[in-house]
Amino acid sequence: MWGSRRRRGNDTVDCIACGDTVSRSDAREYDKEGDRWDRKGKEFEYLCKECHTDLCHQPRDELEGLLVDIDAGGLTEMEFIDRYCRTVEDRYGPVDHER
């Protein structure tokens, strides 16, 4: 049915988090859209196993849209934190500050 993963070769990939080059078999696929199972027409980025382990694996529904809505790419760090927190509270209620 599906081709064996072992036949994909020993290609190397670059980890998008740390920049290390690792063999494809020692990497994990990363899909910024959060839907790695819908593979049609996609090109995946990769994380080394260590960076993948450090990654937060919580759902991120609506995150990409929220970042676009607050113009995250055009803000300083402090502006981003302020605008992000205000927008999250406006949309979802108060942020729990307990640790």
Side-chain angles (χ1 to χ4, degrees), residues 24-99:
R24 168 64 190 87
S25 62
D26 287 332
R28 298 290 180 259
E29 289 179 344
Y30 175 79
D31 177 14
K32 66 181 178 182
E33 296 174 25
D35 179 15
R36 62 176 255 178
W37 303 112
D38 183 12
R39 305 178 81 73
K40 238 182 187 175
K42 284 190 178 176
E43 289 187 24
F44 291 92
E45 297 173 304
Y46 297 90
L47 293 163
C48 67
K49 288 181 181 178
E50 185 176 334
C51 289
H52 182 264
T53 299
D54 291 343
L55 186 68
C56 174
H57 295 279
Q58 296 298 315
R60 57 180 190 222
D61 296 341
E62 304 175 32
L63 177 60
E64 298 286 337
L66 186 143
L67 296 175
V68 169
D69 291 347
I70 66 171
D71 191 29
L75 303 173
T76 67
E77 184 176 343
M78 290 308 297
E79 289 171 330
F80 167 78
I81 291 169
D82 180 57
R83 195 175 296 178
Y84 178 83
C85 289
R86 280 189 287 122
T87 303
V88 168
E89 287 188 0
D90 289 348
R91 291 184 185 184
Y92 308 107
V95 176
D96 183 7
H97 294 286
E98 286 186 35
R99 291 185 183 198

